[in-house]
Amino acid sequence: MNVKNESGALFHGVGINNGCVSGKLKFFQRGRTGVEIIADMPSAGVPDVERARLERALTQLRGRLSELYRRTLADVGEQEAQIFEIHAMLLEDEDFTESLEREIANGCRAELAVQNTAQQYAALLKGLDDPYLSARAADLSDLSEQLCDLLNGTERRVQEKGGEPYILVAEDLAPSETVSLDKSEILGFVTFGGTPNSHTSILARAMGIPALVGVGEIAPRFDGCLALLNAADGSLTVCPNESQVRAFQIKQREENELAKEHERYLRSLINKPAITRGGHKMLIYANVGEAHEIEPALLNGAEGIGLLRSEFLYLSMDRYPTEEELFESYRDIVRKMQGKRIVIRTLDIGADKQIPYFDLPREENPALGFRGVRICLAREALFKTQLRAILRASAHGSISLMVPMIVSVEEVHRCRRLLDECCAELQNENIRFDPNLEFGIMLETPAAAIMSEELAAEVDFFSVGTNDLTQYTLAADRQNPQVAEICEENREPVLRLIAQAADAIHRHDGWIGICGELAAELQLTQRFADMRIDELSVSVPYLLGVREKVTACK
Ligand code: PEP
Ligand code: MG
């Protein structure tokens, strides 16, 4: 509901984050998007030509989505990065691709085929009586806009670089646009449409950008006007009068002071151990996917890296990396750690992480199929190349090795045997490595949790992968937005499995950490402290908050 006052206008929307910011409004002019340009084009095309154009655009978009995934994982967090995994999945959806093919076979230009298909799907989603699913319509239009832009060679740029920071105003922002916003250039954003459930809002929340969504239309004449955005009460005052500005500045100062004080407090915790009031110490480690994330992790008080997703080097290449390339990359990473421990997880490919040159068979149920350690045990040469590289790097710092997707003691034995073979080979070749390298496993299948007593006798440590443990315990695909709610609402079975495993592991004087997303959920920290979990490993943006929470636990 938007009201005019004597000096300007007051708009209301749903606030995302709590910040108060003031600055000039800048309206986002998308220009003519790929979708609009096609209105001026012939709608018919030659099927073979259009098919080839579409395939090219799809390949480019897949590359762009995996780049957005990587960037969001590094800058924002894993849950948020998954938005782009979901986008990539939507592109592969059989109904979606079949509809594209049908349109093209009927003689449509590729752009029109994309537009028609996306419109049909968006209408279907919007009509569903489920706010989460209807919000996914925005994801589809984001994808179709990007595809049309790629088909036409047009490019959308949300932000203009340079100049004073401003409040961005847009009809709507796509998730891919939101994650590309440079926080140093914009103070906040306001969208006419959008809902708090949209992926754009989820991203803004995680990026800490004050925003208002669903404010309704704002007239373009306000472009360049001063505005006061209060995300806490969901208001936007455009062209405020003097007393409104003064009152806002007081509120802003108070908020900034509180935020600064909190930040100072968080920073004061960095060099102190995270110990609950009851005296239980938890190590606060970071999850990283690439070498450049290590420095921010250390600056934010990471006491180690609890999960290095070693897939990154494989994903960034178009052929298998050599032992030398892997070794050099691990050695550089371990040197960056300044003596702190790093847990390198061996290759976890398959399911949602596909690499074309691995040439993996297409599977009906990839999450339940050929992935993680299963591939490594079937392709021993591939696995041994990585194990040798990790062992060699272990001579340059503190490395622990961790194997994903374990379901049995037998698998552990097979991994150990290959590791022993690698140690023997390196010894014969007079190549240095750490003979006491710790060997751990991820606890991410219910089988591993149930067998934790036996497994604890075999390995040095465990780290719980709650993302997979949740999907396998609840039989709910972590990639499928339709069952996301099941995962959110049924934490208890997963928590009980972790508690049982923690008891078994501690009986063996073992060590258990958590590196899945649940490690960063502050409402669970007390529960984890009660289980005597030894380490929590989280994405960089959550490090300080988790540390603070541990110190506040009983
Ligand atoms: C997990 O499953 O919780 C985990 C940390 O591994 P990934 O998300 O890489 O599968
Ligand atoms: Mg996992």
Side-chain angles (χ1 to χ4, degrees):
M1 172 59 165
N2 303 320
V3 185
K4 268 190 175 246
N5 61 26
E6 72 276 15
S7 48
L10 181 63
F11 296 87
H12 282 289
V14 182
I16 310 290
N17 296 317
N18 278 336
C20 280
V21 289
S22 63
K24 287 192 178 153
L25 296 181
K26 190 173 266 180
F27 279 57
F28 167 40
Q29 304 294 352
R30 262 205 188 94
R32 273 158 54 88
T33 65
V35 169
E36 285 158 353
I37 286 170
I38 63 175
D40 301 337
M41 289 180 167
S43 57
V46 179
D48 280 349
V49 176
E50 296 308 310
R51 217 171 267 125
R53 291 181 63 228
L54 180 63
E55 208 30 69
R56 237 186 344 265
L58 281 166
T59 308
Q60 283 173 294
L61 185 51
R62 284 186 199 109
R64 187 188 277 187
L65 289 173
S66 69
E67 172 54 31
L68 283 169
Y69 173 83
R70 269 203 289 276
R71 188 160 5 122
T72 313
L73 186 66
D75 299 346
V76 189
E78 185 178 353
Q79 237 162 350
E80 293 74 23
Q82 277 170 4
I83 292 169
F84 299 105
E85 273 187 341
I86 293 171
H87 282 192
M89 272 174 53
L90 280 173
L91 280 189
E92 309 305 327
D93 180 88
E94 248 172 55
D95 291 337
F96 186 76
T97 48
E98 274 171 21
S99 165
L100 288 173
E101 170 52 30
R102 225 179 4 259
E103 297 275 342
I104 286 186
N106 286 340
C108 270
R109 269 183 79 87
E111 290 88 334
L112 202 62
V114 170
Q115 198 184 18
N116 290 346
T117 300
Q119 271 168 2
Q120 277 166 25
Y121 272 70
L124 206 80
L125 286 169
K126 271 192 184 146
L128 294 175
D129 190 20
D130 176 331
Y132 178 84
L133 289 178
S134 353
R136 299 293 73 81
D139 296 309
L140 260 179
S141 60
D142 184 9
L143 283 174
S144 76
E145 293 265 359
Q146 291 187 71
L147 264 181
C148 288
D149 285 338
L150 287 166
L151 283 162
N152 287 309
T154 43
E155 203 191 329
R156 286 178 294 164
R157 208 155 27 87
V158 185
Q159 261 174 297
E160 283 171 28
K161 295 278 169 200
E164 259 175 76
Y166 55 90
I167 298 172
L168 183 74
V169 181
E171 211 173 304
D172 214 341
L173 282 178
S176 57
E177 291 168 334
T178 310
V179 79
S180 310
L181 294 175
D182 180 347
K183 272 173 71 180
S184 66
E185 305 250 337
I186 71 152
L187 300 160
F189 71 79
V190 179
T191 57
F192 301 175
T195 67
N197 279 330
S198 70
H199 277 151
T200 296
S201 302
I202 294 170
L203 282 167
R205 216 171 275 127
M207 290 163 79
I209 301 177
L212 290 188
V213 297
V215 294
E217 195 171 343
I218 303 178
R221 69 188 153 87
F222 289 126
D223 195 7
C225 291
L226 178 68
L228 313 172
L229 188 165
N230 184 344
D233 70 6
S235 70
L236 178 80
T237 312
V238 183
C239 305
N241 60 32
E242 263 179 42
S243 73
Q244 285 171 319
V245 172
R246 265 197 307 277
F248 191 82
Q249 281 168 342
I250 293 170
K251 197 179 305 160
Q252 217 175 3
R253 262 199 301 277
E254 284 169 1
E255 270 207 1
N256 286 347
E257 248 341 288
L258 280 176
K260 269 197 214 136
E261 209 171 293
H262 189 221
E263 178 69 21
R264 268 196 299 274
Y265 174 66
L266 288 179
R267 299 245 145 234
S268 76
L269 298 176
I270 283 182
N271 294 317
K272 296 185 187 138
I275 302 179
T276 64
R277 288 185 284 131
H280 175 61
K281 180 166 183 279
M282 287 166 116
L283 293 169
I284 310 297
Y285 279 15
N287 294 344
V288 300
E290 293 192 45
H292 68 84
E293 295 168 54
I294 289 181
E295 197 189 335
L298 296 179
L299 286 173
N300 283 285
E303 293 164 86
I305 300 297
L307 170 64
L308 172 75
R309 289 187 164 92
S310 73
E311 297 79 64
F312 77 95
L313 197 65
Y314 295 82
L315 284 161
S316 66
M317 298 184 76
D318 54 10
R319 56 164 174 81
Y320 292 102
T322 62
E323 177 183 318
E324 207 53 33
E325 284 166 336
L326 290 168
F327 161 66
E328 280 170 16
S329 113
Y330 301 150
R331 185 200 50 203
D332 292 350
I333 283 173
V334 85
R335 282 185 177 155
K336 284 197 167 85
M337 290 298 297
Q338 302 157 16
K340 290 182 173 165
R341 178 178 185 230
I342 180 162
V343 179
I344 302 185
R345 177 179 74 183
T346 56
L347 198 53
D348 190 15
I349 288 297
D352 52 314
K353 297 178 207 118
Q354 293 292 335
I355 300 183
Y357 61 84
F358 270 63
D359 232 352
L360 294 172
R362 202 177 150 74
E363 295 174 296
E364 281 295 317
N365 291 303
L368 301 179
F370 196 45
R371 63 166 292 196
V373 73
R374 299 170 185 183
I375 296 179
C376 291
L377 289 176
R379 298 188 182 177
E380 290 188 359
L382 167 81
F383 195 27
K384 282 181 71 178
T385 303
Q386 187 181 30
L387 292 178
R388 281 178 57 104
I390 294 172
L391 279 165
R392 286 173 60 191
S394 70
H396 298 267
S398 170
I399 292 185
S400 303
L401 183 140
M402 176 163 79
V403 183
M405 279 298 290
I406 289 287
V407 296
S408 69
V409 169
E410 160 67 11
E411 282 173 341
V412 170
H413 286 162
R414 290 178 64 195
C415 292
R416 282 271 203 202
R417 183 179 57 74
L418 292 170
L419 187 64
D420 290 345
E421 275 177 28
C422 293
C423 291
E425 284 168 15
L426 291 174
Q427 220 151 13
N428 280 340
E429 293 161 35
N430 268 329
I431 298 177
R432 284 192 311 135
F433 63 92
D434 173 7
N436 300 316
L437 177 93
E438 281 190 324
F439 177 92
I441 58 172
M442 287 197 70
L443 199 151
E444 52 185 351
T445 62
I450 293 163
M451 299 303 288
S452 48
E453 187 88 47
E454 287 79 356
L455 288 165
E458 303 288 333
V459 302
D460 298 313
F461 69 95
F462 288 76
S463 186
V464 186
T466 56
N467 310 336
D468 277 317
L469 187 60
T470 302
Q471 87 163 336
Y472 296 129
T473 304
L474 302 176
D477 183 351
R478 64 192 266 191
Q479 302 276 74
N480 184 342
Q482 304 208 59
V483 294
E485 219 172 274
I486 297 182
C487 297
E488 266 151 43
E489 287 173 1
N490 294 284
R491 301 274 190 244
E492 194 52 35
V494 181
L495 293 171
R496 288 197 199 176
L497 277 180
I498 301 174
Q500 285 162 21
D503 281 348
I505 291 161
H506 288 140
R507 275 199 296 279
H508 283 262
D509 290 329
W511 183 95
I512 175 171
I514 300 179
C515 63
E517 289 295 296
L518 291 194
E521 284 204 12
L522 301 184
Q523 69 277 24
L524 297 179
T525 316
Q526 179 66 58
R527 193 79 188 267
F528 295 145
D530 294 342
M531 296 177 198
R532 324 302 280 172
I533 295 295
D534 300 283
E535 171 242 18
L536 295 173
S537 191
V538 299
S539 315
V540 173
Y542 300 111
L543 280 167
L544 289 172
V546 170
R547 180 175 288 278
E548 177 188 29
K549 186 70 192 186
V550 169
T551 58
C553 280
K554 285 188 278 189

